[in-house]
Amino acid sequence: MLAGKRILLIIGGGIAAYKCLDLIRRLQEHGAAVTPVMTRAAQQFVTPLSVAALAGEKAYTDLFDLTDEAEMGHIQLSRVADLVVVAPATADLMAKMAGGHADDLATTLLMATDTPVMIAPSMNIRMWERASTQRNLATLQGDGMHVVGPNEGGMACGEYGPGRMAEPFEIIEAIGRVLANGPLKGKRVLVTSGPTHEPIDPVRYIANRSSGAQGTAIASALAALGADVIFVTGPADVLPPAGVEVIAVQSAAEMLDAVEGVLPVDAGVFAAAVADWRVKRESGSKIKKVKGALPILEFAENPDILAEVSQMKKGRPGLVVGFAAETDDVVDNATAKRQRKGCDWIVANDVSPETGIMGGSENAVHLITDAGVEGWPRMGKDQVARKLAERIAGALA
Ligand code: CTP
C-alpha cells in the first residue's frame, strides 16, 4: 500500500512513543521507508538506538549537529518525505506547531516542510480536553494538517477517556488515505453494512444473522482505492474498518436518517441486511411475563432504504449498488429485485444455511447489471470486495 513512500516520523515525548517502534516495523512491512526524528523528551521514553535499529536509518535528534548539517541540512531533511507524521503528538508539541515555534529539530522541520503533515495526538484526558489543546487542534486542522485519533480507553496514567494514541495499524490506514492516489481519489462513497436491531422493548429486539463482514470489506477496499468512504453500520460482529467515517446506527429508521444525512455521494453500496419489519409499538418499559398470556407483536413495514435512494428524483448517487440475499432462485429473484428497487447493480448471494455465507468468510456472488448477469467464483469476502471496488472505480472513472 505504501510501496516506495518515505515517511518522516517525528517522535514526541510521551509514553506512547514506545508504539512508534511497532509503527516503524509496520510501515516497513507496507513498503515504506522511515526517516526518524526524535525530540529531546522522546529520548527519555525510547532510545535513538532502538529507533535507528528498527528504521535502519540514523535517528535525527539535534538541530545543531554539524555532521547532520553536512550530510543533510534540516531544510533538505524536511523535504525528503512524502508525508511527515508526528507520533505521539504531545500537548506541548501541538502547541508549538500551532504557534509556529522552531526551537529544536522537530519543530524546525515542521516549520520548514512543504509536504503534508499528520499528527497522532496522545496525552492525558484532561490535557486533551483543555481549551488550549482544543484551540491548537482547531488551528492545526485549519492549517490543513491531518489528524488520526486519539482513541478512547485506559491510559498509562490510570485514567480513562480520549487521549490514547491511535494504534499503529490505524495510523497506517490514515497514512494510506492521505497518500492514496487510487482511481477513487476525490470520490465520496456511502456503504451501508451490518444488521439492524428493531426494538421490542428496552431490553429485547429483533435482529438477523448478518455479521457485517462483507460490507466492512467493501468499505475497506473502496478506501484503499482512495475513496472518501462514509460507513453507515448497524450493530455488526466485526469492527468497522479504519480509515473511513463511521456512523453507527441501530434500527432501519436510524439507518435511513443517517443515509439521507450523508447524501450527495458519487456512489452508494447498500450491503446492510436491513430488517423488513419493525415492531409497530415499541414498549417503553420491559414487557413482563404473565403466565398464560403471550404478548402479541404487531409489525409495521420499515422504509426500504435502497429503493428510496434508487428512486430519488434529486440527489440520486451516480451509481447505486444493492445486494440481494436469497435462498431460492437466486439470479431470478435478484434480477426482479434490481428492477423493483431501481438500483443500477445488484450483487446477488445465496444465503441458504448450507452455503455458510451468512456469517462466514467467503461469498459466491452474481453481479447483475444492465449488461447482464456475471457469475463470480466462490472467493473470500475481501476478494469480492476488492473486485467490486475495482468495478465501481471503473464505472465512476
Ligand atoms: N434494503 C434496504 N432497506 C430495507 C430492506 C433492504 O435498503 N428495508 C436493501 C439491502 O441493503 C439490500 C437490498 O435492499 O441492498 C436487498 O435486501 P434483501 O434483504 O435481499 O431484500 P428485501 O428487499 O428485504 O426483499 P426480500 O426480503 O423479500 O428478499
Side-chain angles (χ1 to χ4, degrees), residues 270-272 274-276 302-306 322-326 337 341:
F270 295 82
V274 186
D276 290 321
N302 266 337
D304 190 318
I305 303 168
L306 174 64
F323 271 69
E326 307 291 346
K337 204 171 265 181
K341 302 212 182 200

Side-chain angles (χ1 to χ4, degrees), residues 259-272:
V259 164
E260 285 174 343
V262 304
L263 296 176
V265 292
D266 295 291
V269 181
F270 295 82

Side-chain angles (χ1 to χ4, degrees), residues 10-13 39 86-98 104 106-107 110 140:
I10 296 182
I11 306 177
T39 64
V86 185
T90 59
D92 179 61
L93 207 39
M94 284 174 63
K96 284 181 167 159
M97 290 168 76
D104 64 0
T107 47
L110 284 159
L140 295 174

Side-chain angles (χ1 to χ4, degrees), residues 4 7 41 85 135 235 260:
I7 306 297
V85 176
R135 250 191 336 263
E260 285 174 343

Side-chain angles (χ1 to χ4, degrees), residues 156-170:
C157 55
E159 291 186 37
Y160 186 95
R164 271 171 74 103
M165 189 171 89
E167 295 303 322
F169 82 90
E170 295 170 309

